[in-house]
Amino acid sequence: TLVNAGLNKYLLEIANLRNHDAWVHTGDPDAATKKAKDLVRMAVAKVALMEPLEEAVLDVNQRALVIGGGISGMAAARSLSGQGYPVDLVERSAHLGGVARHLFRTWKGENIQKNLADLIKSVTSDNNIKIHLDTELTNVEGFVGNFKTTLNTSGRKETIEHGIAIIATGANEAKSDEYLYGEDPRVFTHLELDQKFIEN
């Protein structure tokens, strides 16, 4: 409202008489009135000392950095690329796919490996996405909209300048020390069982 009226939005102070006064002192209207007067006086005194602030206008680097080459990271990279933004996709391992590489089918019976292969193909064939495999971040610096991230790929360092970063580093399954896991060869985690299905 202030901006639409042509006023500096930083020349505003709010005295919240409802939350900080009326609701707190519902049983004592005299105390509530006295406190309300104090809150208004304090707000007026504060705003009288305010100075108009101007927001800085910054150029935002249009390049994106996506950390993690699993399904979420690849989907984010593909979405950004589809909107016209150049993307650097960083994966610590030698392969894209993350945990999904070890999943067999969804609960609906969908073939995860086929869908994963299609997603990987769409990302690797996208000229707007630069893929960095066997790569780790070693340093990040900068500020909103303008970051510099140093990547280390097998000892070779490279600095990427970007405006945003999406962190899609995924997770690992929990390994139990119960239910004879690790003791009885018939006890598997879900991922281990799916891997056996993938291997037929």
Side-chain angles (χ1 to χ4, degrees):
T1 302
L2 286 172
V3 173
N4 291 338
L7 300 174
N8 189 294
K9 65 183 178 182
Y10 295 102
L11 296 177
L12 171 70
E13 182 65 22
I14 296 175
N16 190 340
L17 301 182
R18 183 182 64 175
N19 291 24
H20 298 160
D21 186 18
W23 286 0
V24 179
H25 304 291
T26 54
D28 191 350
D30 290 335
T33 302
K34 183 178 178 187
K35 183 175 179 181
K37 290 177 180 178
D38 283 342
L39 288 171
V40 170
R41 274 194 291 270
M42 288 188 290
V44 170
K46 182 176 179 183
V47 80
L49 299 173
M50 288 182 169
E51 295 182 10
L53 301 177
E54 298 298 330
E55 291 183 350
V57 177
L58 302 172
D59 289 330
V60 175
N61 188 314
Q62 298 297 300
R63 189 170 202 86
L65 176 69
V66 177
I67 306 165
I71 288 179
S72 296
M74 288 189 290
R78 191 172 67 174
S79 176
L80 288 164
S81 173
Q83 296 173 62
Y85 297 105
V87 181
D88 284 280
L89 178 60
V90 177
E91 169 55 38
R92 183 169 48 184
S93 73
H95 307 282
L96 293 174
V99 173
R101 295 174 61 83
H102 306 289
L103 296 175
F104 183 54
R105 295 193 184 279
T106 69
W107 65 275
K108 292 180 179 179
E110 299 161 312
N111 187 329
I112 293 176
Q113 294 307 303
K114 180 188 177 307
N115 292 334
L116 179 62
D118 293 343
L119 178 58
I120 291 172
K121 183 178 179 184
S122 73
V123 169
T124 55
S125 63
D126 190 325
N127 293 330
N128 224 12
I129 300 174
K130 183 176 180 184
I131 300 171
H132 306 266
L133 298 176
D134 285 320
T135 302
E136 292 189 349
L137 276 70
T138 57
N139 188 48
V140 178
E141 57 187 45
F143 52 91
V144 175
N146 293 275
F147 298 99
K148 290 183 181 179
T149 299
T150 304
L151 305 178
N152 186 345
T153 307
S154 303
R156 184 179 57 84
K157 293 193 175 183
E158 176 182 7
T159 299
I160 305 292
E161 295 186 11
H162 55 98
I164 67 158
I166 294 178
I167 301 173
T169 52
N172 294 316
E173 66 176 346
K175 301 277 183 153
S176 177
D177 56 1
E178 298 178 288
Y179 315 112
L180 298 179
Y181 177 73
E183 298 174 35
D184 189 318
R186 297 171 299 170
V187 180
F188 306 110
T189 66
H190 178 213
L191 290 183
E192 290 167 344
L193 182 60
D194 270 20
Q195 189 63 43
K196 288 185 178 295
F197 285 137
I198 291 169
E199 294 165 1
N200 203 25

